[in-house]
């Protein structure tokens, strides 16, 4: 059985998007800085199955390849789905995405769609995602979903791509946790160009 884990770019002050995210600025004001590390390295990495080419450090390229290899399904909240317009039709990792929502956008329901809209809760979405992922991991996001996963004890691993910027406001990854302390174990630290990849095991 794979892990349930996050995989989000986060500012040093804990934001995954800047203030006022919306259709004009899906990552909020200043939030595009959180993704700058995809373009500041000296190693070319083409995401398999896409025409997306990143310029990252060699260590980050290895990490991205590993993420692509080990991810079997994703569970995301409806805001991320809407703000990215369904990642343009397919998530870059090319795995099934289970979108937790209170209403189904029927335009997106069609034969062979990579998206499944789950209206009976996060637990149901995770069960469906795990069934599809098998031995592979289930990635979860964004902030609201991660916080619910932690509260319910669903999360095995927190992986963050820590970006050297202070956004000062926006969508906070852990703002509404409401419980704690939650102990974590540092399992990996990888320095890239313009980013530090950090992995923590959630101690249960
Ligand atoms: N930095 C990064 O790597 C990264 C990656 C992805 C996203 N983001 C950013 O994260 C932000 C979005 O994250 P977010 O935390 O605000 O929202 P989110 O988790 O993407 O979506 C929240 C929405 O999901 C639905 N939902 C969540 N839990 C539910 C439940 N238990 N039952 C039914 N529906 C449920 C609700 O929508 P409805 O009730 O309306 O259906 C809720 O408003 C955006 O700014 C995006 O750009 C950043």
């Amino acid at each position: 059985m794979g892990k349930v884990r996050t995989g989000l770019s986060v500012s040093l002050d804990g934001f995954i998007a800047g203030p006022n995210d919306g259709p004009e600025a899906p990552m909020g004001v200043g939030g595009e800085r959180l993704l700058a590390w995809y373009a500041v390295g000296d190693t070319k990495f083409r995401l398999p199955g896409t025409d997306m080419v990143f310029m990252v450090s060699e260590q980050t390229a290895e990490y991205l390849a590993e993420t692509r290899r080990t991810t079997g399904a994703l569970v995301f909240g409806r805001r991320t789905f809407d703000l990215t317009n369904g990642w343009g039709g397919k998530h870059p990792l090319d795995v099934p995405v289970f979108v937790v929502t209170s209403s189904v956008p029927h335009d997106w329901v069609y034969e062979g769609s990579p998206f499944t809209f789950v209206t009976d809760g996060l637990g149901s979405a995770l069960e469906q995602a795990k069934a599809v992922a098998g031995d592979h991991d289930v990635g979860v996001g964004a902030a609201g979903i991660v916080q619910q996963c932690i509260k319910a004890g669903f999360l095995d691993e927190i992986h963050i791509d820590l970006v050297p910027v202070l956004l000062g406001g926006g969508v906070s990854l852990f703002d509404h946790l409401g419980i704690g302390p939650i102990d974590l174990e540092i399992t990996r630290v990888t320095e890239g160009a313009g980013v530090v990849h950090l992995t923590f095991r959630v101690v249960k």
Side-chain angles (χ1 to χ4, degrees):
M1 184 64 84
K3 291 174 289 210
V4 175
R5 58 161 173 72
T6 68
L8 298 163
S9 291
V10 186
S11 67
L12 185 58
D13 50 350
F15 296 100
I16 60 165
N20 302 320
D21 59 0
E24 299 300 314
M27 294 289 287
V29 176
E32 69 285 350
R33 286 170 174 78
L34 296 176
L35 305 180
W37 60 271
Y38 282 100
V40 297
D42 56 9
T43 302
K44 190 184 269 193
F45 176 77
R46 180 183 290 277
L47 194 62
T50 74
D51 54 9
M52 296 172 85
V53 177
F54 305 128
M55 291 304 295
V56 293
S57 72
E58 201 181 321
Q59 294 86 340
T60 292
E62 280 168 22
Y63 158 70
L64 291 174
E66 181 185 314
T67 301
R68 173 70 170 72
R69 219 172 36 243
T70 56
T71 304
L74 296 167
V75 172
F76 266 97
R78 177 69 184 272
R79 290 195 67 234
T80 300
F81 175 84
D82 285 347
L83 284 167
T84 60
N85 191 30
W87 294 271
K90 185 176 87 167
H91 192 279
L93 291 180
D94 196 18
V95 294
V97 182
F98 295 82
V99 181
V100 188
T101 181
S102 50
S103 63
V104 175
H106 291 285
D107 286 358
W108 284 93
V109 180
Y110 54 86
E111 184 73 29
S113 169
F115 303 111
T116 302
F117 299 93
V118 181
T119 55
D120 57 350
L122 176 60
S124 169
L126 280 169
E127 282 313 309
Q128 294 179 59
K130 283 180 180 178
V132 166
D135 289 342
H136 290 74
D137 294 342
V138 174
V140 295
I145 297 294
V146 170
Q147 289 162 28
Q148 291 179 61
C149 281
I150 292 173
K151 282 187 213 175
F154 292 141
L155 200 68
D156 299 312
E157 197 172 89
I158 295 174
H159 175 87
I160 60 173
D161 304 311
L162 185 66
V163 178
V165 63
L166 298 169
L167 286 181
V171 179
S172 166
L173 181 51
F174 298 119
D175 211 12
H176 303 292
L177 209 49
I179 55 163
I182 305 238
D183 290 317
L184 307 173
E185 178 194 358
I186 302 168
T187 53
R188 183 152 76 164
V189 178
T190 305
E191 187 175 350
V195 65
V196 182
H197 307 290
L198 299 173
T199 307
F200 304 86
R201 182 176 72 83
V202 179
V203 178
K204 295 184 183 175

